[in-house]
Amino acid sequence: MAPAAPVLAGLIATALLVASMAVALGIGSVAVPVGDVLAVVLRRLHLGAHDVTPLADQIVWQLRLPRVLGAAAVGAGLAVCGAVLQSLTRNDLADPYLLGISSGAAVGAVTVIVLGVSFAGLAGSAAVTAAGFVGALGSLALVLALATGRRASLSPTRVVLAGIAVAQVCAAYTSLLVITTGDSDAARRVLTWTLGSVAGLRWGSAVFVAVVALVATVVLVAFADELDAFAFGEASARSLGVAVGRVRWTLMVGTALVTACLVAHAGAIGFVGLVVPHVVRLLTGPRHRVVLPMSALLGAVLLVWADTLARSLVDGQEVPIGVVTAVVGAPFFAWLLRRSGEDG
């Protein structure tokens, strides 16, 4: 791309994200015109006096904006983590759940949902979030312990195999727990959580995941040159002065912690971290200084619209957001496999 092209692409993606959020805030069981949406936001930000109805203010600011902001943050975080892990492992199928994060989080969350226990003095959705985060960290620790070699090396192949093993054990536990409980309501809540949802996000949690996604994107972009070097293999990266072991440990653990935060708040939302980085590379090329921020922006756009569809497709009922991302992502994924097979 020409030097000015990444800047232009970033501006277009940013404008698309802002426009998507503005439109999404007006869509729902009660439609709110875009003009009223902007008036509510500007009034709340003290950017002039704007006439808005109490109903519009309540719907836009209290109910929808935390959810839309949270969806954008989760989409951005998953996409940028997926881009990093695909480059780090040189595996096109890598996604943010590579280290068994979603399966470990499911163990904690499902335990609280099915057994109805409190966790760390919390109850309800707060207990589910906390238990999901602790479960994600537990699975991460186990995967890293299994994957670490004798010299504290972290082989991508061992990481993938350890992640698969831990994920299978966690899946067996959650399935057994759901089957033996006999509680249909708990089973429905478990299914909703495992397929992902941002319906429970309120201002506190939405701001938290937004900060996590923003900080993660900024920090990971700082490793763009190292990730570019990994594209040529470990030997080439070392010859370019990259501390391969330290960078791999830092990025794998860092992306896993970010993913744990996102999964704990929104459940396991598939395909975003897998598909978006590939789309961005097709549009912008492989340079990570462009790929990472563009992945964050387009991941945010994708999840904002996926969540909007999830709460709008069926009257009076919400479709899990993971179903929407799967419908969008699976065809592209199939095309990607077909394309890679033809290239091979």
Side-chain angles (χ1 to χ4, degrees):
M1 298 179 71
V7 176
L8 179 60
L11 291 175
I12 293 173
T14 302
L16 179 61
L17 174 58
V18 173
S20 297
M21 294 177 69
V23 174
L25 287 171
I27 297 175
S29 57
V30 178
V32 180
V34 174
D36 290 349
V37 168
L38 296 177
V40 169
V41 174
L42 292 174
R43 179 175 176 273
R44 284 284 188 166
L45 295 177
H46 304 290
L47 298 176
H50 298 271
D51 293 330
V52 297
T53 64
L55 178 61
D57 182 82
Q58 180 72 15
I59 291 174
V60 172
W61 188 263
Q62 298 295 341
L63 298 179
R64 291 182 186 166
L65 186 53
R67 178 170 181 160
V68 171
L69 176 63
V74 172
L78 291 177
V80 75
C81 287
V84 169
L85 288 172
Q86 287 168 7
S87 298
L88 202 61
T89 62
R90 301 182 70 191
N91 183 350
D92 288 343
L93 304 183
D95 71 357
Y97 308 130
L98 182 70
L99 301 181
I101 298 298
S102 61
S103 300
V107 167
V110 170
T111 299
V112 171
I113 292 172
V114 173
L115 301 182
V117 298
S118 60
F119 183 83
L122 303 171
S125 60
V128 173
T129 299
F133 183 71
V134 171
L137 294 185
S139 67
L140 169 63
L142 183 56
V143 168
L144 292 178
L146 293 172
T148 303
R150 295 181 180 179
R151 298 181 179 179
S153 60
L154 199 60
S155 164
T157 302
R158 289 174 63 91
V159 167
V160 172
L161 294 176
I164 292 173
V166 171
Q168 290 300 314
V169 172
C170 292
Y173 168 83
T174 54
S175 298
L176 180 64
L177 197 60
V178 172
I179 290 172
T180 56
T181 183
D183 186 342
S184 59
D185 181 64
R188 179 186 58 78
R189 292 177 61 200
V190 167
L191 179 63
T192 300
W193 191 92
T194 53
L195 289 175
S197 174
V198 293
L201 292 179
R202 296 297 179 262
W203 269 114
S205 51
V207 170
F208 174 77
V209 295
V211 171
V212 168
L214 179 61
V215 172
T217 301
V218 172
V219 172
L220 293 173
V221 168
F223 285 89
D225 293 339
E226 287 84 351
L227 288 168
D228 286 341
F230 270 97
F232 300 99
E234 289 188 13
S236 298
R238 286 194 178 92
S239 68
L240 294 172
V242 176
V244 171
R246 178 179 60 80
V247 170
R248 176 174 285 140
W249 267 99
T250 300
L251 293 180
M252 280 197 172
V253 173
T255 53
L257 291 175
V258 172
T259 303
C261 291
L262 302 178
V263 171
H265 284 85
I269 301 173
F271 282 101
V272 178
L274 176 63
V275 170
V276 171
H278 288 296
V279 174
V280 172
R281 291 188 188 99
L282 289 175
L283 295 174
T284 69
R287 292 182 61 245
H288 286 87
R289 201 164 294 280
V290 179
V291 167
L292 296 180
M294 285 295 293
S295 293
L297 290 169
L298 294 187
V301 171
L302 172 60
L303 212 58
V304 165
W305 281 111
D307 178 58
T308 302
L309 289 174
R311 57 184 169 85
S312 305
L313 284 174
V314 182
D315 290 337
Q317 186 176 354
E318 183 166 323
V319 177
I321 195 170
V323 173
V324 179
T325 57
V327 169
V328 174
F332 177 82
F333 187 59
W335 173 82
L336 183 68
L337 289 176
R338 179 79 175 175
R339 180 173 178 268
S340 63
E342 292 174 352
D343 292 343

